[in-house]
Amino acid sequence: MESLRPGSLTTAQKDALIEQVKQEIAVASVHEFITIVTKKCFQKCIAKPGTSLDSSEQKCLAMCMDRYMDTLSLVGSTYSRRLQRERERM
């Protein structure tokens, strides 16, 4: 692989690289979120792991995941509104 030197990239290449890094960070963030939610909900809802989930475990997991997704949505929309207000102030 060719070594990258500072200043050797065009503006378009820099923009493409920045976009690629942003996408990789987004994927890693989603992966981390899913891992955390799975661990937390499993610990909360599954007392004795077995070969299948009973109905109360299924319901608990669904509700737990829903709460995390609702929270993520709320945080995301609040963050977006805050960014928008900051942009308007500039």
mmCIF file of all heavy atoms in Angstrom, residues 40-85:
data_model
loop_
_atom_site.group_PDB
_atom_site.id
_atom_site.type_symbol
_atom_site.label_atom_id
_atom_site.label_comp_id
_atom_site.label_asym_id
_atom_site.label_seq_id
_atom_site.Cartn_x
_atom_site.Cartn_y
_atom_site.Cartn_z
ATOM 1 N N LYS A 40 -26.985 -5.337 28.628
ATOM 2 C CA LYS A 40 -27.821 -4.800 29.702
ATOM 3 C C LYS A 40 -29.179 -5.503 29.755
ATOM 4 O O LYS A 40 -29.653 -5.875 30.836
ATOM 5 C CB LYS A 40 -28.040 -3.296 29.524
ATOM 6 C CG LYS A 40 -26.793 -2.468 29.584
ATOM 7 C CD LYS A 40 -26.431 -2.144 30.989
ATOM 8 C CE LYS A 40 -25.246 -1.197 30.986
ATOM 9 N NZ LYS A 40 -24.664 -1.018 32.275
ATOM 10 N N CYS A 41 -29.809 -5.662 28.608
ATOM 11 C CA CYS A 41 -31.128 -6.292 28.583
ATOM 12 C C CYS A 41 -31.037 -7.775 28.949
ATOM 13 O O CYS A 41 -31.918 -8.302 29.635
ATOM 14 C CB CYS A 41 -31.792 -6.103 27.222
ATOM 15 S SG CYS A 41 -32.271 -4.379 26.888
ATOM 16 N N PHE A 42 -29.984 -8.448 28.518
ATOM 17 C CA PHE A 42 -29.815 -9.855 28.881
ATOM 18 C C PHE A 42 -29.672 -9.988 30.392
ATOM 19 O O PHE A 42 -30.333 -10.820 31.014
ATOM 20 C CB PHE A 42 -28.592 -10.445 28.170
ATOM 21 C CG PHE A 42 -28.413 -11.912 28.407
ATOM 22 C CD1 PHE A 42 -29.043 -12.838 27.595
ATOM 23 C CD2 PHE A 42 -27.610 -12.372 29.442
ATOM 24 C CE1 PHE A 42 -28.887 -14.199 27.807
ATOM 25 C CE2 PHE A 42 -27.441 -13.728 29.666
ATOM 26 C CZ PHE A 42 -28.083 -14.647 28.848
ATOM 27 N N GLN A 43 -28.819 -9.132 30.985
ATOM 28 C CA GLN A 43 -28.628 -9.190 32.435
ATOM 29 C C GLN A 43 -29.921 -8.900 33.182
ATOM 30 O O GLN A 43 -30.203 -9.502 34.213
ATOM 31 C CB GLN A 43 -27.548 -8.187 32.872
ATOM 32 C CG GLN A 43 -26.157 -8.589 32.460
ATOM 33 C CD GLN A 43 -25.127 -7.502 32.738
ATOM 34 O OE1 GLN A 43 -25.447 -6.350 32.989
ATOM 35 N NE2 GLN A 43 -23.861 -7.890 32.682
ATOM 36 N N LYS A 44 -30.717 -7.977 32.660
ATOM 37 C CA LYS A 44 -31.964 -7.595 33.326
ATOM 38 C C LYS A 44 -33.044 -8.655 33.178
ATOM 39 O O LYS A 44 -33.794 -8.901 34.127
ATOM 40 C CB LYS A 44 -32.453 -6.267 32.743
ATOM 41 C CG LYS A 44 -33.784 -5.799 33.284
ATOM 42 C CD LYS A 44 -34.177 -4.476 32.639
ATOM 43 C CE LYS A 44 -35.536 -3.982 32.964
ATOM 44 N NZ LYS A 44 -36.069 -4.184 34.261
ATOM 45 N N CYS A 45 -33.126 -9.276 32.027
ATOM 46 C CA CYS A 45 -34.292 -10.101 31.699
ATOM 47 C C CYS A 45 -34.095 -11.614 31.797
ATOM 48 O O CYS A 45 -35.074 -12.346 31.923
ATOM 49 C CB CYS A 45 -34.762 -9.770 30.285
ATOM 50 S SG CYS A 45 -35.291 -8.049 30.081
ATOM 51 N N ILE A 46 -32.877 -12.083 31.707
ATOM 52 C CA ILE A 46 -32.646 -13.530 31.645
ATOM 53 C C ILE A 46 -31.999 -13.997 32.947
ATOM 54 O O ILE A 46 -30.817 -13.772 33.189
ATOM 55 C CB ILE A 46 -31.739 -13.909 30.452
ATOM 56 C CG1 ILE A 46 -32.230 -13.276 29.151
ATOM 57 C CG2 ILE A 46 -31.624 -15.427 30.347
ATOM 58 C CD1 ILE A 46 -33.602 -13.694 28.716
ATOM 59 N N ALA A 47 -32.800 -14.646 33.771
ATOM 60 C CA ALA A 47 -32.300 -15.121 35.060
ATOM 61 C C ALA A 47 -31.480 -16.403 34.895
ATOM 62 O O ALA A 47 -30.402 -16.542 35.464
ATOM 63 C CB ALA A 47 -33.456 -15.362 36.023
ATOM 64 N N LYS A 48 -32.026 -17.339 34.131
ATOM 65 C CA LYS A 48 -31.355 -18.621 33.914
ATOM 66 C C LYS A 48 -31.331 -18.906 32.414
ATOM 67 O O LYS A 48 -32.337 -19.335 31.837
ATOM 68 C CB LYS A 48 -32.103 -19.742 34.629
ATOM 69 C CG LYS A 48 -32.042 -19.668 36.127
ATOM 70 C CD LYS A 48 -32.748 -20.862 36.743
ATOM 71 C CE LYS A 48 -32.650 -20.805 38.259
ATOM 72 N NZ LYS A 48 -33.300 -21.954 38.887
ATOM 73 N N PRO A 49 -30.186 -18.675 31.765
ATOM 74 C CA PRO A 49 -30.111 -18.947 30.323
ATOM 75 C C PRO A 49 -30.409 -20.410 30.025
ATOM 76 O O PRO A 49 -30.004 -21.303 30.776
ATOM 77 C CB PRO A 49 -28.658 -18.609 29.972
ATOM 78 C CG PRO A 49 -28.193 -17.711 31.059
ATOM 79 C CD PRO A 49 -28.948 -18.127 32.290
ATOM 80 N N GLY A 50 -31.160 -20.620 28.978
ATOM 81 C CA GLY A 50 -31.506 -21.977 28.564
ATOM 82 C C GLY A 50 -31.540 -22.051 27.053
ATOM 83 O O GLY A 50 -30.992 -21.205 26.359
ATOM 84 N N THR A 51 -32.222 -23.050 26.551
ATOM 85 C CA THR A 51 -32.287 -23.245 25.100
ATOM 86 C C THR A 51 -33.381 -22.425 24.440
ATOM 87 O O THR A 51 -33.417 -22.308 23.223
ATOM 88 C CB THR A 51 -32.514 -24.734 24.773
ATOM 89 O OG1 THR A 51 -33.727 -25.153 25.412
ATOM 90 C CG2 THR A 51 -31.350 -25.580 25.248
ATOM 91 N N SER A 52 -34.277 -21.848 25.249
ATOM 92 C CA SER A 52 -35.341 -21.008 24.691
ATOM 93 C C SER A 52 -35.749 -19.955 25.716
ATOM 94 O O SER A 52 -35.401 -20.044 26.891
ATOM 95 C CB SER A 52 -36.553 -21.859 24.295
ATOM 96 O OG SER A 52 -37.099 -22.463 25.448
ATOM 97 N N LEU A 53 -36.470 -18.963 25.235
ATOM 98 C CA LEU A 53 -36.953 -17.888 26.108
ATOM 99 C C LEU A 53 -38.422 -18.126 26.422
ATOM 100 O O LEU A 53 -39.203 -18.460 25.529
ATOM 101 C CB LEU A 53 -36.816 -16.532 25.413
ATOM 102 C CG LEU A 53 -35.409 -16.096 25.024
ATOM 103 C CD1 LEU A 53 -35.469 -14.815 24.193
ATOM 104 C CD2 LEU A 53 -34.552 -15.893 26.253
ATOM 105 N N ASP A 54 -38.786 -17.938 27.688
ATOM 106 C CA ASP A 54 -40.211 -18.030 27.991
ATOM 107 C C ASP A 54 -40.865 -16.683 27.649
ATOM 108 O O ASP A 54 -40.187 -15.715 27.302
ATOM 109 C CB ASP A 54 -40.461 -18.452 29.444
ATOM 110 C CG ASP A 54 -39.973 -17.442 30.475
ATOM 111 O OD1 ASP A 54 -39.950 -16.232 30.183
ATOM 112 O OD2 ASP A 54 -39.630 -17.879 31.592
ATOM 113 N N SER A 55 -42.175 -16.627 27.724
ATOM 114 C CA SER A 55 -42.894 -15.430 27.283
ATOM 115 C C SER A 55 -42.545 -14.203 28.117
ATOM 116 O O SER A 55 -42.464 -13.088 27.586
ATOM 117 C CB SER A 55 -44.405 -15.670 27.284
ATOM 118 O OG SER A 55 -44.854 -15.951 28.593
ATOM 119 N N SER A 56 -42.314 -14.358 29.411
ATOM 120 C CA SER A 56 -41.973 -13.198 30.242
ATOM 121 C C SER A 56 -40.585 -12.663 29.883
ATOM 122 O O SER A 56 -40.362 -11.453 29.878
ATOM 123 C CB SER A 56 -42.046 -13.545 31.731
ATOM 124 O OG SER A 56 -41.083 -14.511 32.071
ATOM 125 N N GLU A 57 -39.652 -13.554 29.542
ATOM 126 C CA GLU A 57 -38.319 -13.117 29.111
ATOM 127 C C GLU A 57 -38.396 -12.398 27.769
ATOM 128 O O GLU A 57 -37.754 -11.361 27.572
ATOM 129 C CB GLU A 57 -37.374 -14.315 29.016
ATOM 130 C CG GLU A 57 -37.008 -14.911 30.357
ATOM 131 C CD GLU A 57 -36.248 -16.215 30.234
ATOM 132 O OE1 GLU A 57 -36.456 -16.961 29.241
ATOM 133 O OE2 GLU A 57 -35.450 -16.498 31.147
ATOM 134 N N GLN A 58 -39.209 -12.937 26.864
ATOM 135 C CA GLN A 58 -39.381 -12.300 25.557
ATOM 136 C C GLN A 58 -39.969 -10.897 25.709
ATOM 137 O O GLN A 58 -39.502 -9.947 25.080
ATOM 138 C CB GLN A 58 -40.276 -13.147 24.662
ATOM 139 C CG GLN A 58 -39.636 -14.430 24.199
ATOM 140 C CD GLN A 58 -40.582 -15.282 23.370
ATOM 141 O OE1 GLN A 58 -41.632 -14.840 22.939
ATOM 142 N NE2 GLN A 58 -40.196 -16.533 23.155
ATOM 143 N N LYS A 59 -40.990 -10.790 26.554
ATOM 144 C CA LYS A 59 -41.637 -9.494 26.773
ATOM 145 C C LYS A 59 -40.654 -8.517 27.417
ATOM 146 O O LYS A 59 -40.562 -7.357 27.012
ATOM 147 C CB LYS A 59 -42.866 -9.669 27.660
ATOM 148 C CG LYS A 59 -43.649 -8.400 27.855
ATOM 149 C CD LYS A 59 -44.913 -8.640 28.667
ATOM 150 C CE LYS A 59 -45.671 -7.344 28.863
ATOM 151 N NZ LYS A 59 -46.891 -7.527 29.632
ATOM 152 N N CYS A 60 -39.910 -8.972 28.412
ATOM 153 C CA CYS A 60 -38.922 -8.126 29.086
ATOM 154 C C CYS A 60 -37.871 -7.634 28.094
ATOM 155 O O CYS A 60 -37.533 -6.447 28.071
ATOM 156 C CB CYS A 60 -38.267 -8.896 30.231
ATOM 157 S SG CYS A 60 -37.019 -7.954 31.142
ATOM 158 N N LEU A 61 -37.352 -8.538 27.274
ATOM 159 C CA LEU A 61 -36.343 -8.146 26.289
ATOM 160 C C LEU A 61 -36.896 -7.132 25.298
ATOM 161 O O LEU A 61 -36.226 -6.138 24.972
ATOM 162 C CB LEU A 61 -35.821 -9.378 25.545
ATOM 163 C CG LEU A 61 -34.874 -10.282 26.327
ATOM 164 C CD1 LEU A 61 -34.611 -11.570 25.560
ATOM 165 C CD2 LEU A 61 -33.571 -9.562 26.634
ATOM 166 N N ALA A 62 -38.110 -7.358 24.830
ATOM 167 C CA ALA A 62 -38.722 -6.427 23.874
ATOM 168 C C ALA A 62 -38.905 -5.049 24.497
ATOM 169 O O ALA A 62 -38.584 -4.020 23.870
ATOM 170 C CB ALA A 62 -40.058 -6.980 23.389
ATOM 171 N N MET A 63 -39.383 -5.022 25.717
ATOM 172 C CA MET A 63 -39.599 -3.737 26.388
ATOM 173 C C MET A 63 -38.264 -3.037 26.677
ATOM 174 O O MET A 63 -38.141 -1.820 26.516
ATOM 175 C CB MET A 63 -40.395 -3.933 27.674
ATOM 176 C CG MET A 63 -41.842 -4.330 27.412
ATOM 177 S SD MET A 63 -42.757 -4.688 28.914
ATOM 178 C CE MET A 63 -42.779 -3.096 29.700
ATOM 179 N N CYS A 64 -37.274 -3.803 27.085
ATOM 180 C CA CYS A 64 -35.950 -3.253 27.364
ATOM 181 C C CYS A 64 -35.352 -2.640 26.094
ATOM 182 O O CYS A 64 -34.858 -1.503 26.110
ATOM 183 C CB CYS A 64 -35.042 -4.350 27.927
ATOM 184 S SG CYS A 64 -33.402 -3.802 28.394
ATOM 185 N N MET A 65 -35.406 -3.379 25.010
ATOM 186 C CA MET A 65 -34.873 -2.875 23.738
ATOM 187 C C MET A 65 -35.642 -1.636 23.288
ATOM 188 O O MET A 65 -35.045 -0.671 22.820
ATOM 189 C CB MET A 65 -34.944 -3.967 22.658
ATOM 190 C CG MET A 65 -34.083 -5.178 22.940
ATOM 191 S SD MET A 65 -32.327 -4.842 22.937
ATOM 192 C CE MET A 65 -32.016 -4.732 21.200
ATOM 193 N N ASP A 66 -36.960 -1.651 23.446
ATOM 194 C CA ASP A 66 -37.774 -0.488 23.078
ATOM 195 C C ASP A 66 -37.374 0.749 23.871
ATOM 196 O O ASP A 66 -37.287 1.846 23.327
ATOM 197 C CB ASP A 66 -39.264 -0.776 23.287
ATOM 198 C CG ASP A 66 -39.837 -1.712 22.245
ATOM 199 O OD1 ASP A 66 -39.178 -1.938 21.211
ATOM 200 O OD2 ASP A 66 -40.956 -2.224 22.471
ATOM 201 N N ARG A 67 -37.137 0.566 25.168
ATOM 202 C CA ARG A 67 -36.723 1.704 26.009
ATOM 203 C C ARG A 67 -35.395 2.274 25.537
ATOM 204 O O ARG A 67 -35.215 3.492 25.456
ATOM 205 C CB ARG A 67 -36.635 1.300 27.473
ATOM 206 C CG ARG A 67 -37.981 1.242 28.166
ATOM 207 C CD ARG A 67 -37.841 1.157 29.665
ATOM 208 N NE ARG A 67 -37.067 0.011 30.110
ATOM 209 C CZ ARG A 67 -37.565 -1.194 30.347
ATOM 210 N NH1 ARG A 67 -38.842 -1.432 30.180
ATOM 211 N NH2 ARG A 67 -36.780 -2.175 30.748
ATOM 212 N N TYR A 68 -34.442 1.407 25.232
ATOM 213 C CA TYR A 68 -33.151 1.887 24.738
ATOM 214 C C TYR A 68 -33.302 2.592 23.400
ATOM 215 O O TYR A 68 -32.686 3.641 23.171
ATOM 216 C CB TYR A 68 -32.145 0.737 24.628
ATOM 217 C CG TYR A 68 -31.373 0.506 25.898
ATOM 218 C CD1 TYR A 68 -31.749 -0.486 26.797
ATOM 219 C CD2 TYR A 68 -30.264 1.289 26.214
ATOM 220 C CE1 TYR A 68 -31.040 -0.699 27.969
ATOM 221 C CE2 TYR A 68 -29.558 1.086 27.389
ATOM 222 C CZ TYR A 68 -29.954 0.098 28.254
ATOM 223 O OH TYR A 68 -29.257 -0.101 29.418
ATOM 224 N N MET A 69 -34.116 2.044 22.513
ATOM 225 C CA MET A 69 -34.316 2.676 21.199
ATOM 226 C C MET A 69 -35.018 4.024 21.354
ATOM 227 O O MET A 69 -34.655 4.992 20.682
ATOM 228 C CB MET A 69 -35.099 1.750 20.272
ATOM 229 C CG MET A 69 -34.358 0.469 19.922
ATOM 230 S SD MET A 69 -32.707 0.738 19.245
ATOM 231 C CE MET A 69 -33.121 1.410 17.655
ATOM 232 N N ASP A 70 -36.015 4.098 22.227
ATOM 233 C CA ASP A 70 -36.694 5.373 22.481
ATOM 234 C C ASP A 70 -35.712 6.405 23.030
ATOM 235 O O ASP A 70 -35.730 7.571 22.629
ATOM 236 C CB ASP A 70 -37.848 5.196 23.463
ATOM 237 C CG ASP A 70 -39.023 4.432 22.876
ATOM 238 O OD1 ASP A 70 -39.090 4.294 21.639
ATOM 239 O OD2 ASP A 70 -39.874 3.964 23.664
ATOM 240 N N THR A 71 -34.859 5.960 23.930
ATOM 241 C CA THR A 71 -33.862 6.856 24.511
ATOM 242 C C THR A 71 -32.882 7.335 23.453
ATOM 243 O O THR A 71 -32.560 8.531 23.381
ATOM 244 C CB THR A 71 -33.107 6.155 25.660
ATOM 245 O OG1 THR A 71 -34.057 5.750 26.642
ATOM 246 C CG2 THR A 71 -32.066 7.056 26.282
ATOM 247 N N LEU A 72 -32.415 6.427 22.616
ATOM 248 C CA LEU A 72 -31.501 6.800 21.541
ATOM 249 C C LEU A 72 -32.161 7.814 20.611
ATOM 250 O O LEU A 72 -31.544 8.806 20.210
ATOM 251 C CB LEU A 72 -31.062 5.565 20.758
ATOM 252 C CG LEU A 72 -30.128 5.818 19.582
ATOM 253 C CD1 LEU A 72 -28.803 6.391 20.067
ATOM 254 C CD2 LEU A 72 -29.895 4.543 18.805
ATOM 255 N N SER A 73 -33.413 7.588 20.280
ATOM 256 C CA SER A 73 -34.150 8.501 19.412
ATOM 257 C C SER A 73 -34.280 9.880 20.060
ATOM 258 O O SER A 73 -34.065 10.906 19.411
ATOM 259 C CB SER A 73 -35.530 7.923 19.112
ATOM 260 O OG SER A 73 -36.268 8.813 18.333
ATOM 261 N N LEU A 74 -34.624 9.910 21.339
ATOM 262 C CA LEU A 74 -34.761 11.177 22.056
ATOM 263 C C LEU A 74 -33.436 11.927 22.105
ATOM 264 O O LEU A 74 -33.383 13.132 21.829
ATOM 265 C CB LEU A 74 -35.275 10.919 23.477
ATOM 266 C CG LEU A 74 -35.373 12.150 24.374
ATOM 267 C CD1 LEU A 74 -36.416 13.120 23.831
ATOM 268 C CD2 LEU A 74 -35.707 11.730 25.797
ATOM 269 N N VAL A 75 -32.374 11.232 22.428
ATOM 270 C CA VAL A 75 -31.060 11.873 22.486
ATOM 271 C C VAL A 75 -30.658 12.393 21.110
ATOM 272 O O VAL A 75 -30.174 13.519 20.970
ATOM 273 C CB VAL A 75 -29.992 10.891 23.045
ATOM 274 C CG1 VAL A 75 -28.583 11.442 22.865
ATOM 275 C CG2 VAL A 75 -30.269 10.597 24.507
ATOM 276 N N GLY A 76 -30.887 11.592 20.087
ATOM 277 C CA GLY A 76 -30.551 12.013 18.726
ATOM 278 C C GLY A 76 -31.321 13.239 18.285
ATOM 279 O O GLY A 76 -30.742 14.182 17.722
ATOM 280 N N SER A 77 -32.616 13.268 18.546
ATOM 281 C CA SER A 77 -33.415 14.428 18.123
ATOM 282 C C SER A 77 -33.060 15.663 18.947
ATOM 283 O O SER A 77 -33.001 16.776 18.414
ATOM 284 C CB SER A 77 -34.908 14.125 18.199
ATOM 285 O OG SER A 77 -35.299 13.847 19.514
ATOM 286 N N THR A 78 -32.786 15.484 20.231
ATOM 287 C CA THR A 78 -32.371 16.612 21.070
ATOM 288 C C THR A 78 -31.041 17.163 20.586
ATOM 289 O O THR A 78 -30.856 18.383 20.484
ATOM 290 C CB THR A 78 -32.265 16.179 22.550
ATOM 291 O OG1 THR A 78 -33.532 15.691 22.969
ATOM 292 C CG2 THR A 78 -31.830 17.321 23.440
ATOM 293 N N TYR A 79 -30.116 16.292 20.260
ATOM 294 C CA TYR A 79 -28.813 16.711 19.754
ATOM 295 C C TYR A 79 -28.967 17.455 18.429
ATOM 296 O O TYR A 79 -28.342 18.495 18.214
ATOM 297 C CB TYR A 79 -27.911 15.490 19.594
ATOM 298 C CG TYR A 79 -26.527 15.816 19.099
ATOM 299 C CD1 TYR A 79 -25.624 16.505 19.900
ATOM 300 C CD2 TYR A 79 -26.110 15.425 17.834
ATOM 301 C CE1 TYR A 79 -24.348 16.804 19.445
ATOM 302 C CE2 TYR A 79 -24.841 15.717 17.374
ATOM 303 C CZ TYR A 79 -23.965 16.412 18.180
ATOM 304 O OH TYR A 79 -22.703 16.710 17.724
ATOM 305 N N SER A 80 -29.820 16.945 17.541
ATOM 306 C CA SER A 80 -30.049 17.606 16.248
ATOM 307 C C SER A 80 -30.626 19.003 16.432
ATOM 308 O O SER A 80 -30.199 19.951 15.761
ATOM 309 C CB SER A 80 -30.992 16.777 15.385
ATOM 310 O OG SER A 80 -30.394 15.577 15.017
ATOM 311 N N ARG A 81 -31.592 19.131 17.341
ATOM 312 C CA ARG A 81 -32.175 20.450 17.602
ATOM 313 C C ARG A 81 -31.124 21.410 18.164
ATOM 314 O O ARG A 81 -31.069 22.577 17.791
ATOM 315 C CB ARG A 81 -33.361 20.339 18.549
ATOM 316 C CG ARG A 81 -34.620 19.795 17.904
ATOM 317 C CD ARG A 81 -35.855 19.986 18.772
ATOM 318 N NE ARG A 81 -35.732 19.445 20.111
ATOM 319 C CZ ARG A 81 -35.992 18.192 20.458
ATOM 320 N NH1 ARG A 81 -36.401 17.334 19.532
ATOM 321 N NH2 ARG A 81 -35.877 17.786 21.705
ATOM 322 N N ARG A 82 -30.299 20.903 19.037
ATOM 323 C CA ARG A 82 -29.252 21.735 19.626
ATOM 324 C C ARG A 82 -28.258 22.199 18.561
ATOM 325 O O ARG A 82 -27.855 23.365 18.546
ATOM 326 C CB ARG A 82 -28.529 20.958 20.720
ATOM 327 C CG ARG A 82 -27.552 21.780 21.489
ATOM 328 C CD ARG A 82 -26.997 20.994 22.642
ATOM 329 N NE ARG A 82 -26.251 21.854 23.521
ATOM 330 C CZ ARG A 82 -25.637 21.454 24.586
ATOM 331 N NH1 ARG A 82 -25.704 20.201 24.960
ATOM 332 N NH2 ARG A 82 -24.965 22.291 25.341
ATOM 333 N N LEU A 83 -27.856 21.291 17.682
ATOM 334 C CA LEU A 83 -26.968 21.670 16.586
ATOM 335 C C LEU A 83 -27.612 22.726 15.697
ATOM 336 O O LEU A 83 -26.946 23.680 15.274
ATOM 337 C CB LEU A 83 -26.594 20.447 15.748
ATOM 338 C CG LEU A 83 -25.553 19.505 16.309
ATOM 339 C CD1 LEU A 83 -25.374 18.309 15.379
ATOM 340 C CD2 LEU A 83 -24.228 20.196 16.520
ATOM 341 N N GLN A 84 -28.894 22.543 15.413
ATOM 342 C CA GLN A 84 -29.603 23.504 14.577
ATOM 343 C C GLN A 84 -29.617 24.891 15.227
ATOM 344 O O GLN A 84 -29.371 25.893 14.563
ATOM 345 C CB GLN A 84 -31.038 23.027 14.314
ATOM 346 C CG GLN A 84 -31.817 23.906 13.372
ATOM 347 C CD GLN A 84 -31.220 23.943 11.982
ATOM 348 O OE1 GLN A 84 -30.660 22.964 11.492
ATOM 349 N NE2 GLN A 84 -31.298 25.086 11.334
ATOM 350 N N ARG A 85 -29.882 24.942 16.522
ATOM 351 C CA ARG A 85 -29.878 26.231 17.234
ATOM 352 C C ARG A 85 -28.505 26.870 17.197
ATOM 353 O O ARG A 85 -28.369 28.092 17.011
ATOM 354 C CB ARG A 85 -30.339 26.045 18.687
ATOM 355 C CG ARG A 85 -31.824 25.882 18.853
ATOM 356 C CD ARG A 85 -32.250 26.055 20.300
ATOM 357 N NE ARG A 85 -31.516 25.238 21.261
ATOM 358 C CZ ARG A 85 -31.891 24.056 21.712
ATOM 359 N NH1 ARG A 85 -33.018 23.530 21.309
ATOM 360 N NH2 ARG A 85 -31.149 23.397 22.584
#
